[in-house]
Amino acid sequence: MNTIQLNQENLHLIAERISCPAYDRTKLKTGIVHIGVGGFHRSHQAYYIHQLLKQHHHLDWGICGVGLREADRKMFDTLSKQDGLYTLIIQHPDGSSKSEVIGSISEVLLAVDTPDLVIQKMAHPDTKIVSLTITEGGYNFDSTSGAFDFENPQIKHELKHPDQPKTVFGFLTAALRARMKNGQVPFSILSCDNIQHNGEVARKMLLAFAQRQDADLAEWIATKVSFPNTMVDRITPVTTSKDSSYLEKAYNIKDEWPAICEPFIQWVVEDNFSNGRPTLEALGVQFVPEVSPYEKMKIRLLNAGHSVLGIPGAVYGHPTINACMDDPLFAKFMRMFMDKEATPILDPIEGIDIEKYKDTLEERFANPNIKDSVSRICSESSAKLPTFLIPTIQDNLARGGSIEYATFILAAWCFYSDKGMDQNGPPLEIIDAKKEQLGTAAQQTKIAPLSFLSLTEVFGDLAQNETFTKLYKRMITQIYQTQDIRTLMSHMIYDTLEN
Ligand code: CS2
């Protein structure tokens, strides 16, 4: 068999080897513009929409994938070449996998090349939803005050030149302004990032920005645009060249950017849309009046659990989350964190057994075929921990609960950030927009043990809390003295079990 390049023209040939979209992609209308096409969007929302097109033939809900940054060029080039097609490889824990070509992304745009096309697409009457996976950091808020960061140079530029948008806020306001002028119904803005109250945060940030641009537009957005809150979930590791090679070897298909994921998938959405929505309930999406308890449970257990494994895992030398779970000490440490610190601050959810939910998380993290790198988990921790972990410390400080495990992770993160600056030490590649600031603050630890906490945009006012700082200081001293994260973790578990 010769190797076939994945694209629309070859789809009928590829369909002889692997499951392919049978719906007529040429008839797809763009109902959704999605900003931030990475692995996660492709394993989650685009997968759900693909099922909808496949099973229910609702061809109005095709997706236009948009990249806003120069860094999205590879996504744009690859998906353009493949006519939006890619293979989703679902990896089961028993070693079996299921591959399927996904066809719901019908077009792609790169905003740095064609900003006007992006605005036109969003302003087009067919577009009913603009969805976002722009990462926790993309919402441009200060984590202490929660206020919009007007000091961001790109935002400053956009406010001076509203006709030259750069960020999501510039594009959304430009498109919504066009819709307001044309007397059209606005699209809904659907945030799919791991931020609690993600819809409300998106709304607050967009309104703050719009207000500075045009008070009438801000008023129109405030009254007319819906921002449903959502909880999204599917573990999606970074695609590697091995994944493309696998498709080439197994099916003779050349796909330069497949997506890999676990079998589990969940989407809980607040049923509040200004301009209609796809009927995804038939596919298992839960539409509920109140998403917050689901979001909180997922962020404070799953996402925090990942960081609780990944940060010490990176320092110790475990390459993946499943390798961390294979180490019984790491697995126990994470469960202790979940049981003692995260669970007590969660609200009960009807129909959900939290103990079972945590058991499932353990199974999902241990999936040996996902090989989710700790570097993905640790990336952008400066944006993740203020949503995933630090609020749990604050909640426990307020209620007199345990903060030991979460505090240890912050101390380990300081050590990790310090090591990442060390040119002579073992390689520890840190991916974080705040890498320099974190590293510089961490390097002062030996002279001033609390120096890492001086980054108030990350830690808020934690450094002012004596209960916390006392514990943090003890832990950071132990970590720097022993340089042995794993032994310290085992002592903590032992002490907890003894008391
Ligand atoms: C991870 C998430 O980025 C992270 O740190 O916790 O990407 C996680 O895998 C997804 O939210 C799973 O739904």
mmCIF file of all heavy atoms in Angstrom, residues 297 301 335 343 348-360:
data_model
loop_
_atom_site.group_PDB
_atom_site.id
_atom_site.type_symbol
_atom_site.label_atom_id
_atom_site.label_comp_id
_atom_site.label_asym_id
_atom_site.label_seq_id
_atom_site.Cartn_x
_atom_site.Cartn_y
_atom_site.Cartn_z
ATOM 1 N N MET A 297 -15.186 21.202 40.989
ATOM 2 C CA MET A 297 -14.741 19.837 41.254
ATOM 3 C C MET A 297 -13.614 19.441 40.283
ATOM 4 O O MET A 297 -12.596 18.889 40.684
ATOM 5 C CB MET A 297 -15.928 18.888 41.096
ATOM 6 C CG MET A 297 -15.558 17.426 41.186
ATOM 7 S SD MET A 297 -16.986 16.357 40.905
ATOM 8 C CE MET A 297 -17.183 16.483 39.141
ATOM 9 N N LEU A 301 -9.716 19.196 41.558
ATOM 10 C CA LEU A 301 -9.246 17.811 41.697
ATOM 11 C C LEU A 301 -8.389 17.405 40.499
ATOM 12 O O LEU A 301 -7.216 17.120 40.643
ATOM 13 C CB LEU A 301 -10.416 16.849 41.870
ATOM 14 C CG LEU A 301 -11.138 16.918 43.220
ATOM 15 C CD1 LEU A 301 -12.414 16.079 43.195
ATOM 16 C CD2 LEU A 301 -10.253 16.450 44.369
ATOM 17 N N ARG A 335 -3.336 11.493 46.239
ATOM 18 C CA ARG A 335 -4.626 11.146 46.832
ATOM 19 C C ARG A 335 -4.805 11.838 48.195
ATOM 20 O O ARG A 335 -5.904 12.280 48.553
ATOM 21 C CB ARG A 335 -4.730 9.622 46.974
ATOM 22 C CG ARG A 335 -6.063 9.131 47.448
ATOM 23 C CD ARG A 335 -7.155 9.412 46.405
ATOM 24 N NE ARG A 335 -8.483 9.147 46.912
ATOM 25 C CZ ARG A 335 -9.421 8.449 46.268
ATOM 26 N NH1 ARG A 335 -9.216 7.980 45.065
ATOM 27 N NH2 ARG A 335 -10.598 8.271 46.801
ATOM 28 N N THR A 343 -11.025 17.932 48.638
ATOM 29 C CA THR A 343 -12.409 17.458 48.829
ATOM 30 C C THR A 343 -13.180 18.291 49.858
ATOM 31 O O THR A 343 -14.336 18.648 49.601
ATOM 32 C CB THR A 343 -12.408 15.962 49.228
ATOM 33 O OG1 THR A 343 -11.615 15.264 48.272
ATOM 34 C CG2 THR A 343 -13.806 15.385 49.251
ATOM 35 N N PRO A 348 -21.266 19.590 47.486
ATOM 36 C CA PRO A 348 -21.797 18.335 46.942
ATOM 37 C C PRO A 348 -22.530 18.578 45.618
ATOM 38 O O PRO A 348 -23.111 19.649 45.425
ATOM 39 C CB PRO A 348 -22.780 17.862 48.017
ATOM 40 C CG PRO A 348 -22.962 18.999 48.956
ATOM 41 C CD PRO A 348 -21.909 20.019 48.717
ATOM 42 N N ILE A 349 -22.440 17.609 44.707
ATOM 43 C CA ILE A 349 -23.172 17.719 43.443
ATOM 44 C C ILE A 349 -24.112 16.527 43.361
ATOM 45 O O ILE A 349 -23.669 15.386 43.503
ATOM 46 C CB ILE A 349 -22.237 17.686 42.222
ATOM 47 C CG1 ILE A 349 -21.097 18.693 42.389
ATOM 48 C CG2 ILE A 349 -23.008 17.961 40.934
ATOM 49 C CD1 ILE A 349 -20.101 18.660 41.248
ATOM 50 N N GLU A 350 -25.374 16.833 43.105
ATOM 51 C CA GLU A 350 -26.361 15.767 43.018
ATOM 52 C C GLU A 350 -25.948 14.746 41.960
ATOM 53 O O GLU A 350 -25.574 15.121 40.846
ATOM 54 C CB GLU A 350 -27.710 16.377 42.650
ATOM 55 C CG GLU A 350 -28.855 15.673 43.349
ATOM 56 C CD GLU A 350 -30.166 16.196 42.816
ATOM 57 O OE1 GLU A 350 -30.529 17.338 43.151
ATOM 58 O OE2 GLU A 350 -30.803 15.433 42.059
ATOM 59 N N GLY A 351 -25.983 13.500 42.323
ATOM 60 C CA GLY A 351 -25.693 12.439 41.350
ATOM 61 C C GLY A 351 -24.207 12.153 41.190
ATOM 62 O O GLY A 351 -23.830 11.298 40.400
ATOM 63 N N ILE A 352 -23.350 12.896 41.897
ATOM 64 C CA ILE A 352 -21.907 12.618 41.748
ATOM 65 C C ILE A 352 -21.314 12.160 43.082
ATOM 66 O O ILE A 352 -21.484 12.811 44.115
ATOM 67 C CB ILE A 352 -21.142 13.847 41.223
ATOM 68 C CG1 ILE A 352 -21.648 14.133 39.816
ATOM 69 C CG2 ILE A 352 -19.615 13.614 41.258
ATOM 70 C CD1 ILE A 352 -20.731 14.798 38.881
ATOM 71 N N ASP A 353 -20.664 11.020 43.021
ATOM 72 C CA ASP A 353 -19.996 10.483 44.188
ATOM 73 C C ASP A 353 -18.521 10.896 44.083
ATOM 74 O O ASP A 353 -17.780 10.396 43.242
ATOM 75 C CB ASP A 353 -20.155 8.947 44.144
ATOM 76 C CG ASP A 353 -19.425 8.259 45.282
ATOM 77 O OD1 ASP A 353 -18.503 8.867 45.854
ATOM 78 O OD2 ASP A 353 -19.787 7.099 45.576
ATOM 79 N N ILE A 354 -18.122 11.843 44.935
ATOM 80 C CA ILE A 354 -16.774 12.428 44.832
ATOM 81 C C ILE A 354 -15.681 11.357 44.998
ATOM 82 O O ILE A 354 -14.646 11.412 44.335
ATOM 83 C CB ILE A 354 -16.573 13.550 45.888
ATOM 84 C CG1 ILE A 354 -17.496 14.719 45.601
ATOM 85 C CG2 ILE A 354 -15.124 14.012 45.980
ATOM 86 C CD1 ILE A 354 -16.972 15.760 44.629
ATOM 87 N N GLU A 355 -15.931 10.386 45.882
ATOM 88 C CA GLU A 355 -14.912 9.353 46.094
ATOM 89 C C GLU A 355 -14.692 8.569 44.793
ATOM 90 O O GLU A 355 -13.571 8.306 44.394
ATOM 91 C CB GLU A 355 -15.309 8.388 47.228
ATOM 92 C CG GLU A 355 -15.341 9.051 48.611
ATOM 93 C CD GLU A 355 -14.050 9.812 48.952
ATOM 94 O OE1 GLU A 355 -12.973 9.194 48.862
ATOM 95 O OE2 GLU A 355 -14.123 11.014 49.284
ATOM 96 N N LYS A 356 -15.801 8.245 44.139
ATOM 97 C CA LYS A 356 -15.698 7.514 42.865
ATOM 98 C C LYS A 356 -15.023 8.380 41.805
ATOM 99 O O LYS A 356 -14.252 7.895 40.993
ATOM 100 C CB LYS A 356 -17.100 7.128 42.361
ATOM 101 C CG LYS A 356 -17.610 5.856 42.956
ATOM 102 C CD LYS A 356 -18.534 5.113 41.955
ATOM 103 C CE LYS A 356 -19.225 3.984 42.674
ATOM 104 N NZ LYS A 356 -20.650 4.252 42.971
ATOM 105 N N TYR A 357 -15.364 9.668 41.812
ATOM 106 C CA TYR A 357 -14.771 10.589 40.836
ATOM 107 C C TYR A 357 -13.247 10.581 40.993
ATOM 108 O O TYR A 357 -12.506 10.512 40.014
ATOM 109 C CB TYR A 357 -15.339 11.999 41.053
ATOM 110 C CG TYR A 357 -14.815 13.039 40.086
ATOM 111 C CD1 TYR A 357 -15.286 13.110 38.779
ATOM 112 C CD2 TYR A 357 -13.831 13.952 40.472
ATOM 113 C CE1 TYR A 357 -14.799 14.063 37.891
ATOM 114 C CE2 TYR A 357 -13.336 14.909 39.599
ATOM 115 C CZ TYR A 357 -13.829 14.952 38.303
ATOM 116 O OH TYR A 357 -13.334 15.899 37.415
ATOM 117 N N LYS A 358 -12.786 10.600 42.244
ATOM 118 C CA LYS A 358 -11.335 10.597 42.484
ATOM 119 C C LYS A 358 -10.715 9.260 42.053
ATOM 120 O O LYS A 358 -9.617 9.236 41.491
ATOM 121 C CB LYS A 358 -11.047 10.864 43.973
ATOM 122 C CG LYS A 358 -11.326 12.317 44.357
ATOM 123 C CD LYS A 358 -10.937 12.622 45.785
ATOM 124 C CE LYS A 358 -11.933 12.079 46.764
ATOM 125 N NZ LYS A 358 -11.683 12.523 48.148
ATOM 126 N N ASP A 359 -11.436 8.164 42.298
ATOM 127 C CA ASP A 359 -10.926 6.850 41.852
ATOM 128 C C ASP A 359 -10.755 6.856 40.330
ATOM 129 O O ASP A 359 -9.764 6.363 39.789
ATOM 130 C CB ASP A 359 -11.888 5.715 42.226
ATOM 131 C CG ASP A 359 -11.988 5.528 43.734
ATOM 132 O OD1 ASP A 359 -11.124 6.065 44.455
ATOM 133 O OD2 ASP A 359 -12.944 4.855 44.189
ATOM 134 N N THR A 360 -11.750 7.430 39.649
ATOM 135 C CA THR A 360 -11.684 7.486 38.175
ATOM 136 C C THR A 360 -10.489 8.341 37.735
ATOM 137 O O THR A 360 -9.799 8.006 36.772
ATOM 138 C CB THR A 360 -12.984 8.106 37.606
ATOM 139 O OG1 THR A 360 -14.061 7.540 38.298
ATOM 140 C CG2 THR A 360 -13.119 7.893 36.130
#
